[in-house]
Amino acid sequence: MVKVKDALRRVLYPAYESRVVKFLPPDRIPRHVGVMLDGNRRWAKAVGLNTAEGYQAGADNIRPLLGWCEEVGVGVVTLWLLSSDNLTNRPPEQLTGLLTIIEGAVESLAEAQRWRIHPVGALDLLPTETAEKLKAAEESTRHLDGILVNVAVGYGGRREIADAVRALLADHATRGTSLEELADLIDVEHIAEHLYTKGQPDPDLVIRTSGEQRLGGFLLWQSANSEFYFCEALWPDFRRVDFLRAIRAYAARERRFGG
């Protein structure tokens, strides 16, 4: 019975997916999609693999996701690969293995020469070798015209806002701006200009896999007006049909900015 169901899925899903793509309204495609790649460890446990194999399976699903984004016309994708909290709350041996997998995934994306890579996060908290590889991936893809892919490694939303404020203060200190003058002129846009994603559109849609329904610190500032889509699938099991359902759900919503 299971084999029959799998065979039916292989036959029916492509036709269903093609139909969904065909009827997506071009003017209601999100420009920027943020994705929380959650559930790798639970997936590994469920299928009898170790944690590292779960993370690798998740890494292997990134390239297909970017292809699906290209297909529907998404221009910016932010992938949360590692939080700043993970740098302190994961066992050292697990963290070392995860960083190695992340390095390999980002290098693979850069080698494809299809997407522009942009690291976002507190790179100063990462091992020097990891930070250098992320920067090298960015440099080697800077000239490309493909999707802009923000790889959030060592990322935390509160840390990003704190970093933005620090950068803003340092910038005005070099100009000789007094604290009183800065207090008078500072506004939302001034802070936004110093975020990791400065110059980019805020995410229209944020997808979280694994059934969890919380932000966990992902793009706290930028997601003020985002739409959210929570998917039950664990990240390694996230398929094209799941992605298209998220895009379709987004396109069907009436966005209410500011309330």
Side-chain angles (χ1 to χ4, degrees):
M1 180 60 71
V2 173
K3 290 183 178 180
V4 172
K5 288 182 178 179
D6 288 342
L8 285 173
R9 288 193 188 99
R10 285 194 294 270
V11 172
L12 297 176
Y13 272 17
Y16 169 74
E17 292 166 355
S18 296
R19 182 176 177 81
V20 171
V21 172
K22 180 179 179 180
F23 288 101
L24 285 173
D27 61 336
R28 297 183 70 83
I29 300 297
R31 296 173 300 167
H32 181 174
V33 175
V35 187
M36 304 173 73
L37 318 179
D38 197 20
N40 298 296
R41 288 185 294 174
R42 276 174 280 169
W43 179 87
K45 184 176 181 180
V47 300
L49 298 176
N50 62 43
T51 298
E53 290 170 315
Y55 285 130
Q56 187 59 60
D60 293 341
N61 206 25
I62 292 174
R63 187 179 291 214
L65 170 70
L66 297 181
W68 306 331
C69 290
E70 286 176 325
E71 180 183 16
V72 300
V74 173
V76 182
V77 180
T78 299
L79 306 170
W80 199 7
L81 303 181
L82 182 72
S83 75
S84 53
D85 289 341
N86 288 156
L87 293 173
T88 56
N89 64 18
R90 292 286 172 88
E93 64 278 4
Q94 186 183 111
L95 183 60
T96 298
L98 177 52
L99 286 171
T100 298
I101 290 169
I102 288 172
E103 290 169 9
V106 174
E107 287 179 328
S108 176
L109 295 180
E111 288 168 1
Q113 289 292 288
R114 286 172 62 183
W115 309 291
R116 289 175 291 149
I117 308 301
H118 177 57
V120 296
L123 298 188
D124 57 303
L125 298 181
L126 299 174
T128 302
E129 182 178 2
T130 301
E132 288 177 350
K133 288 183 177 180
L134 295 178
K135 293 174 184 176
E138 178 177 36
E139 189 59 35
S140 68
T141 60
R142 192 183 300 277
H143 64 288
L144 300 175
D145 294 324
I147 290 175
L148 175 60
V149 182
N150 295 314
V151 288
V153 184
Y155 175 86
R158 290 178 175 177
R159 170 70 186 240
E160 178 181 22
I161 295 169
D163 282 349
V165 173
R166 275 193 291 268
L168 173 64
L169 293 174
D171 180 26
H172 280 274
T174 62
R175 304 184 197 180
T177 307
S178 70
L179 287 178
E180 291 77 11
E181 292 170 326
L182 184 56
D184 286 338
L185 66 86
I186 192 171
D187 60 17
V188 168
E189 293 306 317
H190 283 96
I191 295 175
E193 289 169 1
H194 292 82
L195 295 172
Y196 302 147
T197 58
K198 58 181 178 291
Q200 302 178 21
D202 287 339
D204 300 297
L205 173 65
V206 174
I207 299 171
R208 181 166 189 162
T209 60
S210 85
E212 298 287 346
Q213 298 189 23
R214 53 191 172 82
L215 268 180
F218 184 51
L219 299 177
L220 286 179
W221 182 283
Q222 299 91 328
S223 65
N225 292 309
S226 300
E227 297 291 324
F228 297 92
Y229 184 87
F230 301 105
C231 178
E232 291 296 325
L234 301 175
W235 170 246
D237 282 334
F238 189 77
R239 304 157 299 170
R240 179 172 178 249
V241 67
D242 298 312
F243 172 76
L244 292 175
R245 284 170 177 162
I247 300 298
R248 183 178 63 182
Y250 168 84
R253 295 178 187 178
E254 179 182 349
R255 300 190 69 187
R256 294 180 175 87
F257 296 92

